[in-house]
């Protein structure tokens, strides 16, 4: 672990503090780019990893942030039913424009633009503690899942795709 945070991770740390959270961003020496990498590096369950995925509404081009348990895949239809419009994955450029961060390090809070539509996977509440990216593929922080709901101001929903054959 490093003591000095990168610029992106420092911005996330500051955003957390502004929201009254005491959690500390940690920079690791192994990659936490994917949920599986992060779980292996941290030594937690993959379900405890918060994937912060950016989508966009197809017609109105508005950002939709979906905070998903690392063990789940987003059921886009469940989200579309709530917002009344089709959505699709945002590309890297749109993601950076809205969040201020690159894919692989998108945090659940501290974005450069306000995101109106935020959804939280209800399965994250199976865990007392969850871990999220903090600005880079090497930085993470942990927080109580209840705090995640509070600071992200998201709508809690069942968003896991049910019909996957593994
Ligand atoms: N650092 C980890 C967890 S702490 C992390 O950021 N995981 S993540 O799941 O939130 O971010 C990686 C996700 O970004 C991938 O699951 C994938 O859904 C998405 N992604 C990767 N490449 C692209 C791309 N080119 N365009 C849109 N989304 C992408």
């Amino acid at each position: 672990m490093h003591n000095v945070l990168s610029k992106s991770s420092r911005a996330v740390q500051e955003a957390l503090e502004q929201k009254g959270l005491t959690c500390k961003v940690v920079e690791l020496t192994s990659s936490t780019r994917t949920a599986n990498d992060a779980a292996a590096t941290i030594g937690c369950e993959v379900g405890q990893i918060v994937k912060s995925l950016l989508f966009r509404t197809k017609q109105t081009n508005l950002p939709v942030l979906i905070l998903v348990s690392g063990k789940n895949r987003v059921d886009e239809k469940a989200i579309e039913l709530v917002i009344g419009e089709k959505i699709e994955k945002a590309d890297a450029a749109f993601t950076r424009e809205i969040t201020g961060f690159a894919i692989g390090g998108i945090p659940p809070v501290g974005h450069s633009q306000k995101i109106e539509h935020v959804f939280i996977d209800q399965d994250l509440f199976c865990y007392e503690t969850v871990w999220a990216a903090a600005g880079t593929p090497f930085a993470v922080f942990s927080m109580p899942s209840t705090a995640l709901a509070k600071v992200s101001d998201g709508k809690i929903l069942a968003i896991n795709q049910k019909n996957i054959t593994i």
Side-chain angles (χ1 to χ4, degrees), residues 32-35 38 49-53 89-92 103-105 132-133 140:
T32 59
R33 184 175 296 280
T34 68
I49 302 295
V50 182
K51 295 190 284 190
S52 303
L53 304 179
K89 262 227 166 121
D91 64 16
I103 285 169
V140 290

Side-chain angles (χ1 to χ4, degrees), residues 110-143:
H111 308 122
S112 47
Q113 296 189 30
K114 163 113 181 98
I115 303 176
E116 205 63 50
H117 296 295
V118 182
F119 295 92
I120 309 175
D121 182 349
Q122 66 176 16
D123 288 353
L124 285 168
F125 300 97
C126 299
Y127 309 96
E128 203 170 308
T129 303
V130 292
W131 292 81
T136 76
F138 288 92
V140 290
F141 67 94
S142 68
M143 73 198 310

Side-chain angles (χ1 to χ4, degrees), residues 2-105:
H2 306 293
N3 290 322
V4 183
L5 295 179
S6 67
K7 195 169 165 225
S8 289
S9 299
R10 213 163 53 235
V12 177
Q13 179 69 70
E14 281 162 15
L16 292 169
E17 282 162 18
Q18 271 167 22
K19 287 178 177 288
L21 291 173
T22 54
C23 44
K24 289 273 173 271
V25 169
V26 289
E27 261 177 312
L28 307 162
T29 45
S30 313
S31 170
T32 59
R33 184 175 296 280
T34 68
N36 281 327
D37 289 347
T41 301
I42 294 162
C44 69
E45 282 182 49
V46 70
Q48 283 176 274
I49 302 295
V50 182
K51 295 190 284 190
S52 303
L53 304 179
L54 200 72
F55 286 71
R56 50 180 281 277
T57 55
K58 273 192 183 171
Q59 281 167 358
T60 51
N61 201 31
L62 291 172
V64 180
L65 177 68
I66 311 182
L67 306 178
V68 197
S69 166
K71 68 185 167 74
N72 288 345
R73 288 187 64 92
V74 173
D75 177 0
E76 296 178 21
K77 291 214 168 56
I79 307 290
E80 289 166 350
L81 274 175
V82 177
I83 57 181
E85 195 180 333
K86 292 259 181 223
I87 61 168
E88 64 187 8
K89 262 227 166 121
D91 64 16
F94 186 79
T95 302
R96 185 181 267 288
E97 181 194 332
I98 300 295
T99 67
F101 300 95
I103 285 169

